[in-house]
């Protein structure tokens, strides 16, 4: 079973609160959930919708067809009515000549009790359609509001909505699985997952300038800064944000900044400083489509080649592309250890689709997570001989923070420098420093880089490659595809730079084709694969309209564009 | 008084002979020695330019950053590591030009850092283009018809912003400069010290002699807590240039709005029970 509830209306109508309430309640009821937002770049008006898919098996992607539409205005009906299934329902304040419409008189009811709590009428009605116990919703309302009067009004309106639906309208589905589900799960979105990973890793400084869709990380860390002893600062601009983070890291704490494409563009000079100055730094780049300002609230994966090449000249950096809400936490935690161990910038390349969608996932396990800072041992290093950029076998120099070593100072520099951090133009030193810095990547490749996840038969005929958040929709699509094309495999890149190539090489000797599926115009992963391995991708399934892939859409495109035309 | 040679970096500089950065460096060593600040307890954080090379030629912790960007890392370093005495050193191009936006917001934050602007009214390192403080009419290779924009007045600007410490000094008056540096470092909050520093290679107008003929120390009865008087003083420039503390006030310091931060570098990170609690919000 797989149902799709869509809440639609304009910005300012309380959609977000309604989504948070109903999504979490469905999660608590025991469903598997995947919810995502489709919103416009405006604060009031416009057309926004949120879809909450729920069912008895894990869900990873949005779906087009709708089972329950909550339409908060007329436009929502125009836009979505045709997608509502024949036996679906449309909850709307008013009547239409269509059996699917149910008027629950939400405005009228709310006027009598509390107009601000109108959306609770809808929540109650949805609940009754699904024949679920109202206590779950009541409890959540109690957790959300501190004010007893507000809780009371909402409870009343929930009940009004609940009672407005008569019994024969119940949606028929198998409820037995709800009891069998184990509840060691959480329901979280991608931005929150990145923020949580950072908090768990002991981030002590986060500075950013608001930019959709990365702002959620800033919000999350700001709201938790007191508990975790984090300094969260809204910088004057992105240049300030990243340079602040560098100063904080230099001074000895774990530091991070975040933005989306445009803001990240402004940060790149300082990213290079983190590279040459060997200052650990974690940067979250939450992609949105478009050069310049583009499509602010939409999604895409078009910054891959930019991220790995950001800033002038060459320096080692690591780019991680989390695939979902579970991976995002662990990758974010790991990013800090990698930044500290290798003393370089680590970019977490997320996107709006991942950032703004919520999913139920296994609760994060903390047992195996260990914070590793990699400062010099003050007792072992002889202060007089300490050199910040000391040449070592593996390229990793002893790092100290200012004041850590008695009678010693730490000099970091943005120029090419000698072992002490002093500016140099010496040819030999320049070469040695370049080699030293890149040795760190060799070590990363040998010790820490993760090969992509592979799903499929040992010797696939066709192989799909993808990276980052496209993995979710593709995993679902794969199930559909495999029904007709059993011998297909899916390779999901999570560490994306330096590109891990071993698994791909071992799979690439196949009878059929390699297909890359990406949310960008030119197939950036395909280019990267060819650049790093000379393996040529045969087909690309690309999407760049700013909307996420749906599973069915992917399967259809696979058959239409690859199989039928291949 | 402590010895100044502990701050000597024992390196050749690339500054021109006679450059105003030399006496400035000497004054800084004397100022730190007088305050008994050990090299490992201070950090000089800079941008790019001749002035910004200071961390290479001076022995404290050092951070030679990016052009225009000295203030953000300085603010964050002090916030994260409050035991460190943080000095941001910039040129006038660095601090008032490319880094102008950071200047505005650093004043607003009022972090406990000292900001020394080596003001030579020209771009030195890039060989003599106009800076925001270059006089109108001055011809350079880039401004062959002469600079047309109004010069930036850092003192008026800072007074207008309500900065908590604003002073000016001159490298030709070392005792005064040392005193001003010490006052700026001691001040709890953002301390702007605009230092007149001749560039002997590119600025042929504002020379040692030119400054020496004009600077005078603020009168004993000057009240540097009176913002109106400060405004008036800040406009004084030309035949007579006042040096000294032009304005000073007590204001909350940036870090006070982060009472939850620990006082020393926390290497371990949060305990797992705390993280688990946060995770539980999502169940
Ligand atoms: C982003 C960037 N733009 C331009 C430069 C080139 N640049 C280096 S120093 C400098 C001007 C420095 O002038 P000022 O700050 O007045 O310092 P001075 O050299 O006079 O001490 C410029 C433009 C740079 N390093 N980085
Ligand atoms: S160019 Fe000017 S500022 Fe630079 S070192 Fe020479 S004299 Fe000093």
């Amino acid at each position: 079973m797989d149902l799709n509830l869509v809440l639609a209306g304009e910005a300012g109508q309380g959609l977000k609160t309604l989504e948070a309430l109903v999504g979490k309640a469905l999660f608590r009821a025991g469903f598997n959930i995947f919810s995502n937002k489709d919103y416009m770049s405006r604060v009031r008006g416009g057309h926004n919708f949120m879809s909450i898919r729920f069912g008895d098996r894990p869900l990873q992607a949005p779906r087009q067809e709708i089972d329950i539409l909550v339409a908060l205005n007329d436009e929502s009906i125009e836009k979505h009515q045709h997608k509502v299934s024949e036996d679906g329902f449309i909850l709307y304040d008013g009547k239409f000549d269509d059996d699917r419409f149910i008027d629950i008189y939400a405005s009228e009811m709310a006027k009598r009790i509390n107009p601000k709590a109108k959306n609770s009428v809808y929540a109650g009605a949805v609940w009754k359609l699904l024949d679920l116990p109202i206590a779950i919703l009541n409890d959540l309302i109690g957790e959300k509001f501190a004010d007893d009067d507000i809780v009371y009004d909402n409870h009343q309106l929930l009940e009004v909505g609940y009672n407005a639906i008569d019994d024969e309208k119940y949606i028929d589905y198998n409820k037995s699985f709800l009891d069998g589900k184990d509840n060691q799960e959480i329901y979280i979105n991608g931005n929150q997952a990145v923020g949580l990973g950072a908090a768990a890793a002991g981030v002590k400084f986060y500075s950013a300038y608001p930019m959709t869709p990365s702002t959620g990380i800033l919000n999350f860390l700001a709201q938790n800064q007191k508990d975790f002893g984090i300094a969260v600062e809204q910088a004057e601009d992105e240049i300030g944000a990243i340079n602040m983070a560098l100063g904080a890291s230099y001074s000895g704490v774990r530091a991070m900044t975040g933005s989306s494409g445009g803001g990240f563009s402004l940060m790149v000079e300082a990213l290079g400083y983190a590279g040459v100055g060997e200052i650990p730094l974690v940067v979250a780049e939450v992609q949105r489509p478009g050069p310049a300002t583009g499509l602010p609230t939409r999604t895409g994966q078009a910054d891959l080649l930019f991220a790995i090449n950001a800033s002038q000249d060459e320096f080692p950096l690591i780019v991680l592309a989390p695939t979902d809400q579970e991976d995002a936490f662990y990758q974010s935690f790991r990013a800090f250890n990698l930044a500290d161990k290798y003393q370089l910038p680590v970019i977490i390349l997320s996107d709006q689709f991942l950032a703004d969608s919520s999913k139920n996932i296994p609760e994060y396990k903390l047992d195996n997570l260990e914070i590793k800072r990699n400062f010099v041992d003050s007792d072992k290093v002889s202060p007089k001989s300490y050199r910040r950029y000391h040449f070592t076998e593996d390229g990793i120099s002893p790092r100290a923070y200012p004041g850590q070593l008695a009678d010693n100072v730490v000099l970091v520099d943005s120029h090419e420098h000698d072992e002490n951090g002093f500016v140099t133009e010496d040819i030999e030193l320049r070469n040695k420093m370049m080699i030293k810095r890149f040795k760190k990547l060799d070590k990363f490749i040998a010790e820490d880089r993760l090969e992509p996840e592979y799903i499929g038969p040992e010797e696939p005929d066709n192989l799909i490659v993808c990276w980052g958040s496209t993995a979710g929709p593709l995993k679902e699509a794969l199930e559909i595809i495999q029904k007709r094309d059993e011998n297909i495999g899916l390779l999901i890149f999570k560490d994306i730079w330096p590109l891990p190539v071993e698994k791909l090489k071992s799979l690439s000797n196949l009878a059929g084709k390699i297909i890359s599926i990406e949310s960008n115009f030119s197939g950036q992963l395909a280019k990267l694969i060819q650049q790093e391995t000379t393996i040529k991708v045969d087909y690309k399934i690309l999407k760049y309209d700013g909307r996420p892939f749906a599973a069915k859409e992917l399967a259809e495109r696979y058959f239409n564009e690859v199989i039928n035309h291949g | 008084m402590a010895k100044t040679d502990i701050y000597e970096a024992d390196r050749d500089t690339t500054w021109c002979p006679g450059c105003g950065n030399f006496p400035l460096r000497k004054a800084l060593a004397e100022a730190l020695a007088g305050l008994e600040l050990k090299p490992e307890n201070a950090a000089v954080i800079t941008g790019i330019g001749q002035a910004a090379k200071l961390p290479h030629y001076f022995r404290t912790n050092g951070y030679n950053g990016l052009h225009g960007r000295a203030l953000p890392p300085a603010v964050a370093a002090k916030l994260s590591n409050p035991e460190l005495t943080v000095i941001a050193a910039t040129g006038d191009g660095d601090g008032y030009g490319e880094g102008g936006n950071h200047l505005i917001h650093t004043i607003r934050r009022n972090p406990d850092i000292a900001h020394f602007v080596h003001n030579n009214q020209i771009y030195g390192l890039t060989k003599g283009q106009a800076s925001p403080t270059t006089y109108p009419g001055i011809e350079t290779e880039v401004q062959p018809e002469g600079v047309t924009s109004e010069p930036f007045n850092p003192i008026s600007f800072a007074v207008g912003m309500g900065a908590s410490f604003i002073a000016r000094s001159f490298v030709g008056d070392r005792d005064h400069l040392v005193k001003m540096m010490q006052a700026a470092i001691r001040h709890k909050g953002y301390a702007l010290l605009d230092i007149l520093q001749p560039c002997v290679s590119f600025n042929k107008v504002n020379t040692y002699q030119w400054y020496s003929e004009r600077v005078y120390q603020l009168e004993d009865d000057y009240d540097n807590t009176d913002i109106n008087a400060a405004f008036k003083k800040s406009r004084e420039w030309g035949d007579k240039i006042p040096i000294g503390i032009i304005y000073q006030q007590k204001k909350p310091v940036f870090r006070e709005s982060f009472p939850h931060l620990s006082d020393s570098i926390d290497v371990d990170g949060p305990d797992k029970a705390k993280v688990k609690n946060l995770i539980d919000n999502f169940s």
Side-chain angles (χ1 to χ4, degrees):
Chain A
M1 147 254 168
D2 175 1
L3 293 167
N4 191 17
L5 163 69
V6 167
L7 314 170
E10 21 176 276
Q13 283 191 311
L15 273 178
K16 227 175 108 182
T17 324
L18 184 60
E19 187 267 341
L21 175 70
V22 178
K24 185 89 173 237
L26 288 167
F27 165 70
R28 291 248 179 115
F31 291 101
N32 289 295
I33 315 267
F34 183 90
S35 76
N36 73 310
K37 291 186 203 160
D38 187 301
Y39 58 107
M40 291 178 72
S41 181
R42 51 193 291 180
V43 173
R44 282 192 181 275
H47 181 72
N48 293 343
F49 67 94
M50 317 215 164
S51 75
I52 306 174
R53 254 183 98 189
F54 53 104
D56 55 5
R57 64 196 171 91
L59 301 167
Q60 325 243 23
R63 206 187 72 189
Q64 308 277 334
E65 315 82 74
I66 302 170
D67 299 291
I68 307 171
L69 172 66
V70 173
L72 296 181
N73 61 3
D74 294 352
E75 194 188 358
S76 303
I77 295 186
E78 262 166 57
K79 285 232 155 90
H80 300 286
Q81 189 175 8
H82 63 282
K83 290 190 213 130
V84 179
S85 66
E86 260 170 52
D87 46 4
F89 293 103
I90 300 170
L91 298 172
Y92 172 69
D93 224 346
K95 268 249 171 294
F96 266 82
D97 188 18
D98 182 332
D99 278 352
R100 298 174 303 174
F101 275 84
I102 310 177
D103 185 358
I104 51 172
Y105 305 98
S107 296
E108 212 180 300
M109 291 300 179
K111 216 179 281 165
R112 284 188 223 154
I113 295 168
N114 181 348
K116 283 199 181 137
K118 179 174 118 181
N119 285 349
S120 285
V121 183
Y122 291 110
V126 167
W127 222 240
K128 183 77 169 291
L129 283 173
L130 298 167
D131 187 24
L132 291 166
I134 191 89
I136 298 175
L137 279 175
N138 278 332
D139 288 353
L140 272 171
I141 294 274
E143 285 172 31
K144 183 173 165 55
F145 298 107
D147 183 327
D148 287 348
D149 290 343
I150 294 176
V151 173
Y152 181 77
D153 291 349
N154 276 284
H155 281 170
Q156 274 203 299
L157 286 169
L158 278 176
E159 197 161 323
V160 166
Y162 193 82
N163 293 334
I165 304 291
D166 45 44
D167 299 6
E168 69 256 35
K169 291 235 155 77
Y170 286 168
I171 294 174
D172 188 28
Y173 61 93
N174 169 20
K175 289 190 187 69
S176 59
F177 80 92
L178 288 177
D179 306 326
K181 230 179 125 222
D182 95 71
N183 272 335
Q184 291 296 43
E185 292 202 327
I186 55 171
Y187 178 62
I188 191 167
N189 74 33
N191 272 343
Q192 292 163 334
V194 169
L196 229 167
V203 69
K204 286 285 173 277
F205 187 89
Y206 186 83
S207 49
Y209 188 79
M211 188 168 185
T212 307
S214 66
T215 312
I217 301 171
L218 176 61
N219 291 343
F220 178 86
L221 288 172
Q223 282 151 21
N224 292 293
Q225 61 178 320
K226 288 211 171 99
D227 276 356
F228 284 79
I230 309 169
V232 176
E233 179 63 0
Q234 180 179 327
E236 51 272 28
D237 54 33
E238 289 83 351
I239 299 174
I242 187 167
N243 281 286
M244 279 184 188
L246 285 173
S249 180
Y250 160 73
S251 82
V253 302
R254 282 195 156 173
M256 178 178 181
T257 183
S259 191
S260 298
F264 181 67
S265 298
L266 292 176
M267 291 181 177
V268 297
E269 189 194 21
L271 191 78
Y273 183 9
V276 72
E278 306 194 41
I279 304 174
L281 178 71
V282 177
V283 183
E285 213 272 62
V286 187
Q287 300 164 94
R288 70 190 215 184
T293 304
L295 294 163
T297 61
R298 305 299 171 187
T299 198
Q301 299 181 297
D303 296 349
L304 172 57
L305 296 180
F306 173 47
I308 68 175
N309 292 304
S311 213
Q312 67 273 21
D313 205 323
E314 299 167 277
F315 58 90
L317 88 166
I318 294 169
V319 182
L320 311 173
T323 53
D324 71 356
Q325 291 74 356
E326 188 178 2
D327 193 35
F329 170 83
Y330 295 109
Q331 288 283 42
S332 169
F333 184 94
R334 181 170 165 252
F336 284 90
N337 277 349
L338 293 176
D340 270 349
K341 177 170 176 184
Y342 297 104
Q343 303 173 19
L344 45 63
V346 179
I347 297 173
I348 300 169
L349 200 53
S350 173
D351 56 42
Q352 184 268 335
F353 174 57
L354 173 57
D356 283 340
S357 50
S358 301
K359 196 171 85 161
N360 61 303
I361 52 168
E363 189 179 307
Y364 301 128
K365 296 201 174 46
L366 304 176
D367 296 352
N368 296 327
L369 300 185
E370 203 187 320
I371 292 171
K372 294 182 187 154
R373 290 305 315 271
N374 199 26
F375 285 121
V376 293
D377 185 340
S378 319
D379 300 332
K380 287 197 187 132
V381 63
S382 108
K384 283 290 174 205
S385 65
Y386 175 74
R387 279 162 290 164
R388 173 65 192 90
Y389 299 106
H390 184 51
F391 290 119
T392 57
E393 202 52 46
D394 57 10
I396 298 176
S397 302
R399 177 172 174 237
Y401 55 84
Q404 188 192 348
L405 303 177
D407 196 27
N408 214 303
V409 298
V410 181
L411 174 61
V412 302
D413 190 28
S414 56
H415 298 88
E416 193 53 90
H417 45 251
D418 66 12
E419 286 183 274
N420 288 307
F422 181 61
V423 180
T424 183
E425 299 195 14
D426 182 276
I427 295 170
E428 201 184 320
L429 271 175
R430 156 71 178 175
N431 287 340
K432 274 180 89 172
M433 274 298 163
M434 283 297 274
I435 293 165
K436 165 193 141 55
R437 287 192 292 268
F438 277 95
K439 268 189 189 165
K440 301 191 293 184
L441 273 194
D442 295 339
K443 189 176 165 80
F444 166 69
I445 290 166
E447 293 180 12
D448 290 295
R449 183 173 67 175
L450 298 181
E451 284 293 321
E453 176 186 347
Y454 176 69
I455 308 171
E458 231 167 81
E459 289 182 17
D461 289 339
N462 289 343
L463 178 70
I464 295 176
V465 294
C466 75
W467 63 281
S469 74
T470 307
L474 256 172
K475 280 184 184 170
E476 255 193 71
L478 193 70
E479 289 173 23
I480 308 173
I481 294 170
Q482 277 175 334
K483 286 190 187 133
R484 275 176 58 189
D485 181 5
E486 282 174 22
N487 221 13
I488 187 163
L490 172 62
L491 192 64
I492 303 165
F493 286 88
K494 302 174 172 183
D495 280 16
I496 191 90
W497 186 256
L499 189 74
V501 294
E502 295 313 316
K503 187 78 197 164
L504 176 67
K505 279 185 182 160
S506 74
L507 286 166
S508 65
N509 199 7
L510 30 78
K513 307 172 183 80
I514 300 180
I515 305 106
S516 87
I517 299 189
E518 307 176 52
S519 295
N520 58 50
F521 187 83
S522 65
Q524 298 192 4
L525 174 62
K527 286 186 194 173
L528 197 57
I529 285 174
Q530 183 159 14
Q531 172 191 311
E532 296 297 302
T533 62
T534 72
I535 295 170
K536 217 168 142 27
V537 165
D538 303 284
Y539 282 93
K540 296 174 212 163
I541 294 179
L542 305 171
K543 179 168 169 139
Y544 39 86
D545 61 8
R547 274 57 173 188
F549 279 113
K552 240 187 178 170
E553 168 197 12
L554 272 171
E556 273 165 23
R557 287 190 61 180
Y558 174 74
F559 289 116
N560 290 340
E561 295 171 32
V562 181
I563 301 302
N564 298 344
H565 288 265
Chain B
M1 204 209 251
K3 282 174 28 183
T4 57
D5 58 9
I6 56 169
Y7 310 103
E8 271 168 26
D10 190 25
R11 281 178 189 129
D12 292 340
T13 81
T14 55
W15 287 332
C16 312
C19 173
N21 280 316
F22 289 108
L24 193 154
R25 181 178 62 168
K26 226 177 201 142
L28 183 60
E30 276 181 29
L32 297 193
L35 293 171
E36 290 177 28
L37 255 173
K38 288 198 210 144
E40 66 263 37
N41 296 333
V44 175
I45 297 185
T46 63
I48 294 292
Q50 301 285 29
K53 292 174 179 171
L54 190 62
H56 294 295
Y57 310 147
F58 191 79
R59 195 174 164 273
T60 55
N61 294 294
Y63 177 108
N64 184 193
L66 298 169
H67 189 49
R69 315 301 167 202
L71 289 174
V75 170
K78 182 67 188 181
L79 186 63
S80 307
N81 192 341
E83 288 162 4
L84 212 55
T85 293
V86 174
I87 297 162
T90 71
D92 45 315
D94 206 23
Y96 302 148
E98 185 129 33
N101 193 27
H102 306 308
L103 178 63
I104 296 175
H105 298 281
T106 302
I107 295 176
R108 289 180 52 228
R109 291 186 179 101
N110 198 35
D112 187 13
I113 65 173
H115 180 193
F116 298 164
V117 183
H118 305 212
N119 188 352
N120 53 19
Q121 299 185 256
I122 202 81
Y123 281 9
L125 187 58
T126 45
K127 301 202 165 78
Q129 303 82 11
S131 90
T133 48
T134 306
Y135 284 167
I138 289 195
E139 293 168 17
T140 78
E141 268 186 288
V142 179
Q143 292 84 16
E145 307 294 324
V147 171
T148 52
S149 304
E150 285 261 335
F152 177 73
N153 181 333
I155 308 288
S156 281
F157 170 80
V159 174
M161 286 291 303
S164 61
F165 179 102
I166 305 156
R168 180 191 282 130
S169 191
F170 170 46
V171 296
D173 184 345
R174 173 132 35 102
D175 289 347
H176 186 263
L177 182 55
V178 170
K179 260 197 342 226
M180 287 301 111
M181 285 176 161
Q182 291 178 335
I185 291 168
R186 269 202 223 99
H187 174 74
K188 283 263 160 279
Y190 171 75
L192 174 66
L193 175 59
D194 187 71
I195 303 168
L196 305 174
Q197 171 251 317
C199 167
V200 294
S201 297
F202 296 109
N203 190 336
K204 304 296 184 199
V205 178
N206 311 105
T207 59
Y208 274 102
Q209 195 189 346
W210 189 93
Y211 287 125
S212 298
E213 284 166 2
R214 287 167 174 79
V215 298
Y216 75 94
Q217 293 193 18
L218 284 169
E219 306 82 3
D220 285 345
D221 61 351
Y222 174 73
D223 178 5
N224 65 24
T225 62
D226 177 349
I227 195 153
N228 291 319
F231 252 124
K232 220 165 149 196
K233 268 292 167 223
S234 77
R235 308 284 305 166
E236 216 178 284
W237 180 274
D239 291 344
K240 287 184 76 193
I241 301 174
I243 58 174
I245 301 173
I246 291 169
Y247 185 64
Q248 187 164 22
Q249 64 163 320
K250 262 206 166 86
K251 262 173 97 167
V253 170
F254 189 48
R255 203 169 196 278
E256 288 168 22
S257 46
F258 298 88
H260 56 277
L261 299 185
S262 73
D263 286 336
S264 50
I265 300 295
D266 170 9
V267 183
D268 299 329
D271 71 54
K272 288 188 177 169
K274 209 177 230 176
V275 180
K276 170 81 173 103
N277 266 343
L278 185 53
I279 294 174
D280 284 344
N281 290 341
F282 294 93
S283 62

